[in-house]
Amino acid sequence: MAEDLEIERKFIVEYPDCDRLDIIRQIEILQTYLENGSGDSQRRVRKITENGADIYFYTEKKFITAVTRKENEYEISADDYKKLLKEKKSDCVPVRKKRICFKYMDQLFELDIYPFSNEFAILELELRSPEQEIFFPEYVKVIKEVTGISEYSNASLANAGAFPIIGK
């Protein structure tokens, strides 16, 4: 059970041509937010399906800045997952998404595709430092950075069932 510092930036992008991506992994995620933990930390459980197999994770995050947070994440059993679902936040629908992990210029991107949109997706990148330069593939059109904008959080997107209106 390791607690790590996570530095991540998030972008809304036009739905890319996935055939052009150097895909290394594709997973289905069902993410359920739980009642907040101590110190108002954000808690969640995930069911991840990859190649027909399910694995489960528990995550607790404490937000330090818009791009930096302390994260404690570990694998749990199916039974623990079912027990934790009883602590689900009542005002938050579960998040369903497909995640495509791909590499570009020694960077590992995570592209989250939501069932309610075939026009937009969320692109995330974990960084070594907040100042790290990011190199985007020319075939991925970034609309804008949405790091720290609550309307683009997984929970907000799932509850809305849509992306916020985006001015291009």
Side-chain angles (χ1 to χ4, degrees):
M1 183 166 31
E3 186 172 283
D4 294 313
L5 200 60
E6 179 185 60
I7 303 168
E8 183 176 77
R9 291 183 54 198
K10 191 174 186 175
F11 304 86
I12 187 160
V13 298
E14 285 187 0
Y15 196 103
D17 177 0
C18 292
D19 291 337
R20 298 189 72 188
L21 304 177
D22 182 13
I23 297 173
I24 59 170
R25 184 177 189 207
Q26 292 187 60
I27 58 177
E28 298 289 333
I29 298 173
L30 175 59
Q31 180 169 296
T32 304
Y33 288 95
L34 307 175
E35 292 298 331
N36 287 353
S38 64
D40 213 28
S41 62
Q42 183 187 78
R43 299 169 58 234
R44 71 173 187 225
V45 288
R46 279 183 168 173
K47 174 183 172 185
I48 296 177
T49 305
E50 184 173 18
N51 300 321
D54 295 331
I55 56 173
Y56 306 90
F57 288 90
Y58 171 83
T59 305
E60 192 163 341
K61 292 184 179 192
K62 290 189 181 198
F63 292 81
I64 299 168
T65 69
V67 297
T68 308
R69 47 203 160 274
K70 282 191 175 183
E71 180 179 274
N72 183 12
E73 181 173 69
Y74 52 91
E75 190 171 343
I76 58 174
S77 69
D79 285 343
D80 286 343
Y81 173 79
K82 288 174 190 164
K83 286 177 193 167
L84 284 165
L85 285 177
K86 294 175 184 167
E87 299 176 36
K88 175 187 175 298
K89 268 189 159 179
S90 59
D91 63 342
C92 198
V93 301
V95 178
R96 292 184 184 277
K97 61 186 177 180
K98 177 179 182 178
R99 174 166 284 172
I100 298 173
C101 304
F102 68 95
K103 285 199 168 199
Y104 180 75
M105 293 183 67
D106 291 324
Q107 302 166 110
L108 179 60
F109 287 95
E110 295 175 340
L111 180 71
D112 287 345
I113 299 169
Y114 297 86
F116 54 77
S117 180
N118 59 4
E119 188 177 1
F120 303 110
I122 295 290
L123 185 66
E124 297 179 354
L125 178 65
E126 285 196 29
L127 307 170
R128 291 178 297 283
S129 76
E131 301 80 27
Q132 179 181 328
E133 187 173 4
I134 300 172
F135 301 97
F136 295 101
E138 64 277 359
Y139 42 82
V140 174
K141 183 175 181 196
V142 175
I143 297 168
K144 71 177 181 177
E145 181 166 5
V146 294
T147 304
I149 300 175
S150 62
E151 291 83 12
Y152 292 92
S153 72
N154 279 305
S156 293
L157 292 173
N159 282 340
F163 283 103
I165 295 174
I166 299 164
K168 289 187 182 180

